[in-house]
Amino acid sequence: MSRASSASSSNAGLTQQSFAERQTRVIKSTAKRLIATPLGTSLTIAVIAIALALPATFFACVGSLQELGMSWRGNTRVTVYLEQSQDDAAGEALAQQLSLRPDIHNAVHIGKEQAAADFAMWTGFDDLLASLDENPLPGAIVIEPAIDLSDENAMQTLATELGSLDGVASADMDIRWLERLNAVLRLLNTGIAIVASLLAVAVVITVGNTLRLDIQARREEIVVAQLVGATDHFVQKPFMVTGLMYGLSGGFLAAVLSSAAITLLNSPVGALAAEYQSNFRLSGLGIGGFATLVVVGAALGLCGAWLTARQYIYHR
Amino acid sequence: MIRLYKVSKRYPDSGGAALSNINLEIPRGAMGFITGHSGAGKSSLLKMLAAIEKPTGGDIQVAGLDLAHLPHSELPAFRRRIGVVFQENRLLYDRSVGENVALPLEVCNVRAEDTERRVRAALERVGLGEFYDAMPRQLSGGEQQRVSIARAVVNRPELIIADEPTGNLDRKLAQDIMRLFWDFNRIGATVLVATHDTDMIEQMEMPVVELRNGKVLHNEFYEAAPQ
């Protein structure tokens, strides 16, 4: 028994690594392993980055358009088109009369000549207008409502009421095309969300498949480690850290790529917006979006690693 | 230390039983041989003693643990108490000799300085002190086998199991390795070596269990009784 007790002393007198030391060791060895295979590591990270950057960039673009739509909604007007028989004096009088109503904040009369000048400026068809015998454009009154702009029914009621006034040909809300734009943007958002979900699954599969190959290449190491007493957790940890590193790096690169793409797009977008007297620019990801992309990348990397480790390491 | 009672092992894809009705008791601190011709069941027996495989019937106890019913979660703790030497040595060829020997301590999260001290001591013990930083492929077959022995004993296990550890070695190296096992036995470890080298067995004068066709033909230890 004395011999037995000396033999069973095993690890007595040895000091254990602290939690931080254990994590540092795994992170260092994993980073070393990834750096040792630069091509494979870069390709995996690039695939993750592209898969994350694409939907992130589209989301950012659509988000910018939605913000633009919201700002335009705040400037919603009702345009009252006068009958051709109404002259500018009658139009001016009607505008003054309308501006006294409690549900109207402001009413600005646009005379026939002004309408023609605006039309020529916006469309460039001034030659066409000049060739006509008389100005075909009616006078108009631009109404700035004093009611809740988001209350579509109230807005519709006001437009209908204005359209039925004497001397008025029709009244249109400027919001209609905006609603159509918003509907298109909602459709785009849903489409991008579906594509983003599929790409997220692709990231999980990419990380999982890369780690599956890694596990197969290190099969002997895993078996020997288990034979000398490694726990599943011990064996799994380097692969989890690898998945995390792939995800973090991929997410970071995706954020950089997305920001670069938005910056590149902003130049032609700005030029196009200037044609319409607008200062519109696409919004970048911002710090929040950047961090979200990195966190999402890390989470997907971990998810892929966890699923693979469960399948190929646990209980073998 | 080891107690097998009516232990049997049958593999699904083979016709007969690899082991049948094995009764065996080996006391703590003993050293002995498991022998028998190829296919007698030596490797199956050692795999069950190392909890690599489970028996299909009977009771198997090692170091007080019921291996037939040992939960998966308790396997690592058990394996840290034993050292296994394989015939094909199972070294990791992308790691240095020192890193190979350090593996059992690494999985126990032992600090680097303690690990190095223990690994150097284990390598000194098997006569490979100067090969700490060498790669396994730089060593001969006998030296590689000694590295795997150093890995098996670095944790100071209670039980050392060796499956044909001298199978690929010449007579002189085989004797050196057997002397190593004897040294570890003298400092307290129970040692069980599977071999078909009858000359070696006769020379060492240790208790022998002879298997034939999965049954005990001759047993110089004890026959386990029902508990």
Side-chain angles (χ1 to χ4, degrees):
Chain A
M1 282 305 284
S2 60
R3 295 202 307 180
S5 55
S6 71
S8 64
S9 60
S10 67
N11 289 339
L14 299 179
T15 44
Q16 298 279 304
Q17 292 174 321
S18 68
F19 178 79
E21 283 173 326
R22 291 203 298 270
Q23 311 316 312
T24 308
R25 180 175 55 78
V26 175
I27 289 168
K28 272 186 184 170
S29 64
T30 304
K32 202 171 145 189
R33 197 173 282 274
L34 290 177
I35 291 166
T37 52
L39 183 65
T41 303
S42 307
L43 285 175
T44 304
I45 291 172
V47 169
I48 296 168
I50 292 166
L52 293 176
L54 276 173
T57 307
F58 284 132
F59 270 131
C61 292
V62 172
S64 296
L65 288 172
Q66 280 177 323
E67 278 173 28
L68 182 67
M70 291 302 285
S71 69
W72 280 341
R73 181 182 269 279
N75 296 322
T76 301
R77 304 283 185 270
V78 177
T79 305
V80 174
Y81 295 101
L82 302 175
E83 289 174 351
Q84 274 292 358
S85 59
Q86 300 291 308
D87 59 16
D88 284 354
E92 192 63 46
L94 182 59
Q96 281 185 8
Q97 191 187 329
L98 290 175
S99 64
L100 297 175
R101 288 176 54 141
D103 54 354
I104 291 175
H105 186 255
N106 195 16
V108 177
H109 174 247
I110 296 169
K112 291 182 178 184
E113 292 305 315
Q114 180 64 42
D118 288 349
F119 178 81
M121 188 185 79
W122 284 97
T123 62
F125 293 152
D126 40 353
D127 290 345
L128 177 69
L129 272 178
S131 68
L132 298 172
D133 293 338
E134 61 177 276
N135 179 4
L137 296 173
I141 299 169
V142 178
I143 305 286
E144 190 182 327
I147 57 176
D148 180 7
L149 298 174
S150 62
D151 186 347
E152 206 167 319
N153 286 336
M155 289 288 289
Q156 189 58 54
T157 305
L158 177 64
T160 308
E161 199 180 318
L162 293 172
S164 64
L165 294 173
D166 286 342
V168 172
S170 66
D172 283 346
M173 279 195 297
D174 296 345
I175 203 171
R176 290 242 168 80
W177 71 273
L178 199 56
E179 293 298 336
R180 289 188 196 111
L181 174 67
N182 276 335
V184 171
L185 292 179
R186 277 197 296 273
L187 180 67
L188 274 176
N189 251 339
T190 309
I192 295 168
I194 292 168
V195 172
S197 306
L198 293 174
L199 288 173
V201 173
V203 168
V204 171
I205 292 171
T206 302
V207 172
N209 196 47
T210 305
L211 289 179
R212 183 181 61 80
L213 295 174
D214 199 13
I215 287 170
Q216 279 174 355
R218 296 169 68 184
R219 169 60 56 204
E220 180 67 5
E221 184 183 335
I222 292 169
V223 170
V224 172
Q226 286 174 330
L227 287 175
V228 298
T231 59
D232 286 340
H233 181 68
F234 181 91
V235 174
Q236 184 194 22
K237 200 190 282 179
F239 298 104
M240 295 297 287
V241 172
T242 305
L244 180 67
M245 283 184 174
Y246 277 139
L248 274 176
S249 311
F252 182 81
L253 185 58
V256 171
L257 285 176
S258 185
S259 300
I262 290 168
T263 305
L264 284 173
L265 280 171
N266 255 333
S267 177
V269 165
L272 180 65
E275 291 292 320
Y276 294 93
Q277 282 73 48
S278 166
N279 294 321
F280 173 70
R281 292 285 186 281
L282 296 171
S283 304
L285 293 175
I287 293 172
F290 202 101
T292 303
L293 210 47
V294 174
V295 170
V296 167
L300 292 174
L302 268 179
C303 184
W306 184 78
L307 289 171
T308 307
R310 275 209 77 78
Q311 191 177 354
Y312 291 96
I313 294 175
Y314 268 59
H315 302 283
R316 287 179 74 94
Chain B
M1 184 70 192
I2 296 171
R3 183 180 175 278
L4 294 96
Y5 182 68
K6 290 191 172 177
V7 168
S8 59
K9 178 69 183 176
R10 187 180 287 274
Y11 294 99
D13 48 353
S14 74
L19 290 171
S20 97
N21 248 1
I22 304 290
N23 294 317
L24 179 64
E25 196 161 338
I26 299 172
R28 193 178 287 271
M31 178 171 172
F33 293 101
I34 309 276
T35 190
H37 59 77
S38 181
K42 303 187 295 289
S43 293
S44 296
L45 181 60
L46 293 195
K47 279 178 183 169
M48 285 192 289
L49 292 177
I52 296 168
E53 289 179 358
K54 285 193 173 184
T56 41
D59 294 330
I60 176 164
Q61 288 184 10
V62 177
L65 293 169
D66 177 5
L67 296 191
H69 303 100
L70 194 68
H72 179 79
S73 59
E74 289 179 27
L75 267 180
F78 167 71
R79 286 180 177 155
R80 288 172 192 185
R81 296 172 65 185
I82 65 169
V84 184
V85 180
F86 304 95
Q87 184 180 4
E88 64 279 23
N89 75 51
R90 300 197 85 153
L91 295 180
L92 304 175
Y93 288 92
D94 60 343
R95 293 188 180 208
S96 70
V97 165
E99 286 168 337
N100 267 281
V101 178
L103 194 60
L105 299 172
E106 191 183 322
V107 303
C108 297
N109 297 312
V110 174
R111 272 221 159 100
E113 52 270 35
D114 285 351
T115 298
E116 186 176 340
R117 185 168 44 81
R118 270 278 184 98
V119 169
R120 286 194 185 281
L123 284 172
E124 287 292 342
R125 183 137 222 155
V126 298
L128 295 173
E130 71 273 32
F131 291 102
Y132 184 89
D133 293 316
M135 297 306 283
R137 289 199 197 283
Q138 296 174 284
L139 307 183
S140 68
E143 286 167 337
Q144 288 184 19
Q145 192 61 287
R146 280 191 278 162
V147 173
S148 87
I149 293 170
R151 182 180 63 191
V153 300
V154 74
N155 239 354
R156 298 187 185 161
E158 297 167 54
L159 170 67
I160 298 171
I161 298 168
D163 188 6
E164 303 276 8
T166 59
N168 299 325
L169 307 178
D170 62 36
R171 170 73 41 204
K172 169 76 174 61
L173 282 172
Q175 283 173 343
D176 288 349
I177 281 173
M178 281 303 168
R179 262 186 225 112
L180 272 176
F181 286 126
W182 192 53
D183 285 347
F184 292 120
N185 174 248
R186 282 195 304 173
I187 59 167
T190 307
V191 180
L192 207 53
V193 180
T195 182
H196 57 261
D197 186 344
T198 46
D199 292 343
M200 178 73 67
I201 292 168
E202 280 171 19
Q203 205 174 359
M204 295 291 286
E205 295 181 342
M206 302 262 178
V208 175
V209 176
E210 188 179 356
L211 299 176
R212 184 172 294 173
N213 297 328
K215 291 179 179 163
V216 175
L217 188 72
H218 175 68
N219 180 7
E220 291 176 4
F221 283 108
Y222 306 102
E223 187 163 334
Q227 279 187 331

